[in-house]
Amino acid sequence: MRDLYNKLLPTEDSEKRRTQLVIKLEDLFNRRWPGHTIKVNVFGSSGNKLGTPESDVDICITTDFRDLEHVCLLAEVLADSGMEQVVCVSSAKVPIVKIWDPVLKLACDMNVNNPVALENTRMIRTYVDIDPRVRPLALIVKYWTRKRLLNDAALGATLSSYTWICMIISFLQTRDPPILPALQQFPGLSDQVMEGLNVSYLNDVSRVKDFGHKNEATLGELLYDFFKYYGYEIDYDDAIVSVREALTLAVINTNTLLRNTARFHNDTPYNILDLFQPYQQLKLVGATVDVGVMVLCAAADS
């Protein structure tokens, strides 16, 4: 298992090419639109230590030049600058541009002025840094989902990689004793409001570095228990997973219609995962997939 983990870690070459892409894009945009502040930031797996050498590069452009929020303008400049497979997805909830850099051999998705995504990346990275078991467990589970085509919500009937990461964090928060804390629940935190959301969390890893030391479970035991938990133990009918609270919440009445609509098709019950976004407690992710059956069937095939 450790050998697999080591193979999944980014190589020095892959990290170097990602850094070069960031510098290249930032230089391109600032030369094209002088007089504005345009910064290129990595987020997602590129910034939270959960990427592999094969991972796409997720980029968020932060700028005072609001015209770039019309991302097709970016797409035109990128295509004229030698990028390939340029696709502008302006109709998405978060508009993005997809590109392939033929020189650096990297695929990239980029959006503009999405600061919550950057803050969320920093929080996930903080969770990863708290305990040395988090990163290998997450990378191995992500590898497993990728090999079984279970990590692309856009394809339907699967979960996003982000949802899998939230599942892993919640699982580690609810061990006995817990391995991870609830970073958003520490006393004394000052509200940090961004786009109407309170994105504050404890970002001082030194204060929680030994949080999970009482739990001596090995990486192998945690991997086994992760599948057991989501395959057998969690009550999908009566629980909502919350990373923010570090527990499973009782079903709220306002969600009954959504859950009942999603759970039954041709009178067949589904194990629908209800998982709150860490920053948006009324927004669910993963609420369209029979997670229990997916985990059990795929694990049995492993």
Side-chain angles (χ1 to χ4, degrees), residues 80-97:
D80 291 341
S81 302
M83 297 297 177
E84 299 178 355
Q85 302 174 32
V86 179
V87 178
C88 174
V89 189
S90 59
S91 59
K93 184 171 183 180
V94 178
I96 63 171
V97 175

Side-chain angles (χ1 to χ4, degrees), residues 1 4 136-148 150 159 164 167-168 171-172 175 219-234 236 271 291-302:
M1 189 174 297
L4 173 60
L137 178 65
L139 284 177
I140 289 170
V141 170
K142 284 186 65 178
Y143 172 80
W144 173 83
T145 63
R146 186 172 69 251
K147 287 296 184 180
R148 283 155 184 80
L150 300 175
L159 301 171
W164 284 106
M167 290 168 63
I168 293 164
F171 163 75
L172 294 173
R175 297 306 86 207
L219 176 59
E221 290 169 338
L222 290 174
L223 182 62
Y224 173 83
D225 287 342
F226 173 82
F227 289 119
K228 181 181 177 184
Y229 179 67
Y230 285 108
Y232 291 99
E233 296 178 350
I234 191 170
Y236 290 98
N271 295 308
V291 178
V293 171
M294 181 172 65
V295 169
L296 284 174
C297 293
D301 189 46
S302 300

Side-chain angles (χ1 to χ4, degrees), residues 45-62:
S45 64
S46 299
N48 61 23
K49 291 188 174 181
L50 298 180
T52 68
E54 291 77 32
S55 298
D56 293 349
V57 183
D58 294 315
I59 281 177
C60 174
I61 299 165
T62 52

Side-chain angles (χ1 to χ4, degrees), residues 226-281:
F226 173 82
F227 289 119
K228 181 181 177 184
Y229 179 67
Y230 285 108
Y232 291 99
E233 296 178 350
I234 191 170
D235 187 343
Y236 290 98
D237 288 329
D238 297 319
I240 299 177
V241 175
S242 173
V243 170
R244 185 185 190 92
E245 305 289 342
L247 46 76
T248 53
L249 304 171
V251 173
I252 55 177
N253 292 333
T254 53
N255 192 37
T256 301
L257 179 60
L258 168 65
R259 293 167 64 90
N260 287 344
T261 301
R263 286 176 187 283
F264 292 93
H265 177 66
N266 294 332
D267 299 322
T268 301
Y270 285 80
N271 295 308
I272 300 300
L273 173 70
D274 287 339
L275 188 151
F276 276 137
Q277 291 267 25
Y279 289 137
Q280 296 171 277
Q281 285 292 80

